[in-house]
Amino acid sequence: SPCYFELPHVSPFVAQFRCYADLRGMQFAADGEEQPMRHATLGISGNHFWAARWPRTGTGRAVAREEEILRGLVADLFSGKLGRAAELAHLEKVMNVYFDNPEKQTKIWSIARHLANASMVLYLDVDMTIRPDSVDRGLVELLLEE
């Protein structure tokens, strides 16, 4: 949520990014929007999250019933009933397997949203800091030095 950027432990970093962007002639955007899709983790195997996804507008009984059916499918697959694996071919638009928690995909959605209106997007997390010696130098110059 956009309120996140106003929290006391976050706002100093946001102010630093905003200042850097202003000095470099860049557009700054603090994107706190939700993902356009709602994810439900159906099962976890090692680092792999089996998840279903629906548009945020689809949260009624039909989605709840579908989620229940998909949880059963994943439970069967995890228990070795591999004959049900063929069902996955019909679920390409609903199910994904992520290497990490699907809620972390917000970065990807945020970048995609901003790329629609820009030729380049630089994504920085609020837990990053800007090198003090970079204020007077451009980002491209600093990246080329590395």
Side-chain angles (χ1 to χ4, degrees), residues 37 39-40 42-43 49-54 66-67 69-71 73-75 77-78 87-98:
M37 305 295 274
H39 288 83
L42 306 170
F49 286 66
W50 290 60
R53 64 187 186 282
W54 299 273
E66 187 174 24
E67 183 178 335
I69 291 168
L70 295 175
R71 282 185 191 285
L73 170 62
V74 171
L77 292 173
F78 284 5
E87 295 175 46
L88 294 172
H90 304 288
L91 299 170
E92 195 174 352
K93 294 183 179 183
V94 178
M95 282 184 64
N96 276 18
V97 178
Y98 296 96

Side-chain angles (χ1 to χ4, degrees), residues 12-87:
F13 296 100
V14 173
Q16 185 182 29
F17 288 140
R18 189 179 312 277
C19 179
Y20 181 82
D22 288 346
L23 283 171
R24 305 304 311 161
M26 300 165 71
Q27 178 185 348
F28 175 81
D31 188 336
E33 292 183 38
E34 286 186 306
Q35 294 184 36
M37 305 295 274
R38 181 181 75 81
H39 288 83
T41 299
L42 306 170
I44 302 171
S45 176
N47 290 330
H48 297 91
F49 286 66
W50 290 60
R53 64 187 186 282
W54 299 273
R56 290 235 174 245
T57 55
T59 57
R61 282 189 216 153
V63 169
R65 178 69 184 129
E66 187 174 24
E67 183 178 335
E68 182 182 327
I69 291 168
L70 295 175
R71 282 185 191 285
L73 170 62
V74 171
D76 284 351
L77 292 173
F78 284 5
S79 68
K81 297 178 184 172
L82 301 181
R84 294 199 66 193
E87 295 175 46

Side-chain angles (χ1 to χ4, degrees), residues 4-5 10 13-22 24 26-32 106-108 110-111 114 120-131 134 139 142-143:
Y4 175 76
F5 299 111
V10 176
F13 296 100
V14 173
Q16 185 182 29
F17 288 140
R18 189 179 312 277
C19 179
Y20 181 82
D22 288 346
R24 305 304 311 161
M26 300 165 71
Q27 178 185 348
F28 175 81
D31 188 336
T106 55
K107 295 175 185 180
I108 294 168
S110 178
I111 290 168
H114 292 284
M120 178 181 139
V121 171
L122 175 65
Y123 183 96
L124 300 172
D125 275 322
V126 293
D127 61 350
M128 296 175 68
T129 56
I130 298 172
R131 289 175 28 179
S134 70
L139 181 64
L142 290 169
L143 289 174

